[in-house]
Amino acid sequence: MALYRQVKRQLIADIQSGKFQPGKALPNETELAQRFGVSIGTLRRAVDELVADHVLLRQQGRGTFVGQQDNDRFMYQFFKIEGRDGTREFPQIRLLGFDVARANAEEAQVLGLHGAARVLRIENLLSLQGRPVVHDRITLSCALFPRLTREQFAQRPGTIYELYQRAFGVTVVGADERARAEGADAASAALLQLPVGSPVLRVARIARTFDRQPAELRVSIIDTRVHEFVSSASAPR
Amino acid sequence: MALYRQVKRQLIADIQSGKFQPGKALPNETELAQRFGVSIGTLRRAVDELVADHVLLRQQGRGTFVGQQDNDRFMYQFFKIEGRDGTREFPQIRLLGFDVARANAEEAQVLGLHGAARVLRIENLLSLQGRPVVHDRITLSCALFPRLTREQFAQRPGTIYELYQRAFGVTVVGADERARAEGADAASAALLQLPVGSPVLRVARIARTFDRQPAELRVSIIDTRVHEFVSSASAPR
DNA sequence: AAGTGGTCTAGACCACTTG
DNA sequence: AAGTGGTCTAGACCACTTT
């Protein structure tokens, strides 16, 4: 296998193991190259790919840093809801529910679990400009997020993905999403303050960590009277 | 400015001018490097970026080719509708309308035209498995696609984007999309064979050529009873 | 001034495709 | 066998940030 790919895998392993901490600088390129026993060009090629995926972040003159799942990253990579006029705003989040259950068939399939595995089900309501806009239902595998409690979740200092990264070493690097229109059910309609059956956007997102491993299933019911879901069709790699 | 960026710009210019034709091979790397007066490493870096954008395509042992807007490329980069079970199929397309008009405010804004510029409005119905699923309304600037006729459009041999590329030198490299749920209006409801007011997905897509220049506005009304709109949240570059 | 990443070069050798 | 892109190396020099 190509040498630079092995170097890349080792860098990922060092991030997952916690050897390189989110937000902290890596050793400089010369030292990393020596440590891995490769030339600087090869080391740079490995880092290049991780920078393209926003796993690492380079700043000329300062160093190379491990990417953090902070508010900024969340807003520009994962929060794809904005006003029809293009207004973007960090949502206010209210926790509605936090329960342990057995995975249903869909959850087990997308999260790669066996039939009766334990999962956490978390329910949130997101507001923009004081108005409720998104009703989120999140499913997590208890095996991947061991001993996550409601208190720990509710009192996290940063974003949800930052909690995954710091407390469980799970770095979300991308997601697959599927959208459809449907009529609002009673629960979502009440929360979003619209009539039952009104057209709402339903987005199912599977957040993934390295090697496309699924980490989270999130179903969002979105009121698109004032907001829209934005996306882009660039060439996949 | 960095040398490899100048080389990249020149390669793009040679594609736009028709010097390098879609589907045809470029000169080999050694010759290109000599032609531009740079080392092979620098030439490769410029080509690397164009390959990442799927503008060029490399095949080891064969050569480097200009990417074509063929059916395959359309399906995996731009046609983001698939069955709920993941079934993907090339749509059957029926032309419903082809008219010249003056741009309205929204069209003028997103296509970067002055208020009263002439535009083409094209209307299509896309079917999957024999059932109508997508009602498309396309707007093009007459200035960017001069003398495009209904016959030329209807009798194109390949995809719509392939026509743009071959007949007008407009290479679509990406798109921005905005989705919302709404109730079907009378026109779309009739075409999609569902009751007026049924929840449908509305996707507005701005297709872009190099330097993010807008080339096409397309509004799709999608029946999501059986199909879904798929997207992915990878880190933008 | 010292340390970091960014660019460019020149060349060797490997892997793959074609004739 | 000849021609193509793919990988790796070693080093020089530039641009930027920090001390």
Side-chain angles (χ1 to χ4, degrees), chain A residues 163-230:
Chain A
L163 174 67
Y164 297 169
Q165 184 181 43
R166 293 200 173 275
F168 302 95
V170 174
T171 300
V172 175
V173 298
D176 296 324
E177 297 168 319
R178 306 177 68 89
R180 64 172 90 140
E182 64 182 24
D185 67 13
S188 294
L191 289 167
L192 299 174
Q193 299 169 15
L194 39 75
V196 172
S198 303
V200 289
L201 186 61
R202 175 196 190 272
V203 177
R205 175 204 291 170
I206 302 169
R208 301 185 186 278
T209 180
F210 300 106
D211 295 316
R212 297 187 53 76
Q213 286 296 308
E216 179 204 73
L217 169 63
R218 181 181 302 208
V219 177
S220 300
I221 305 298
I222 307 166
D223 174 2
T224 54
R225 286 175 298 183
V226 189
H227 296 84
E228 287 180 317
F229 175 81
V230 302

Side-chain angles (χ1 to χ4, degrees), chain A residues 2-4 39 42 45 60-62:
Chain A
L3 198 46
Y4 76 92
S39 74
T42 300
R45 175 141 189 200
Q60 187 172 0
R62 302 215 325 120

Side-chain angles (χ1 to χ4, degrees), chain B residues 181-194:
Chain B
E182 63 181 23
D185 66 15
S188 294
L191 290 167
L192 299 175
Q193 299 170 14
L194 39 74

Side-chain angles (χ1 to χ4, degrees), chain B residues 91-107:
Chain B
Q92 192 194 343
I93 306 178
R94 183 155 69 92
L95 177 61
L96 301 177
F98 187 104
D99 302 287
V100 181
R102 299 286 181 179
N104 64 30
E106 187 201 355
E107 291 168 336

Side-chain angles (χ1 to χ4, degrees), chain A residues 33-84:
Chain A
Q34 284 174 353
R35 219 183 266 193
F36 289 123
V38 300
S39 74
I40 274 213
T42 300
L43 183 274
R44 276 187 66 82
R45 175 141 189 200
V47 173
D48 280 347
E49 294 201 357
L50 291 168
V51 168
D53 295 338
H54 291 60
V55 171
L56 296 179
L57 177 64
R58 278 202 279 231
Q59 290 180 252
Q60 187 172 0
R62 302 215 325 120
T64 302
F65 304 83
V66 181
Q68 299 189 75
Q69 292 289 356
D70 56 10
N71 287 13
D72 287 350
R73 172 116 184 242
F74 173 73
M75 283 303 284
Y76 92 103
Q77 184 173 8
F78 296 106
F79 191 69
K80 299 167 68 169
I81 293 161
E82 57 180 54
R84 290 196 182 179

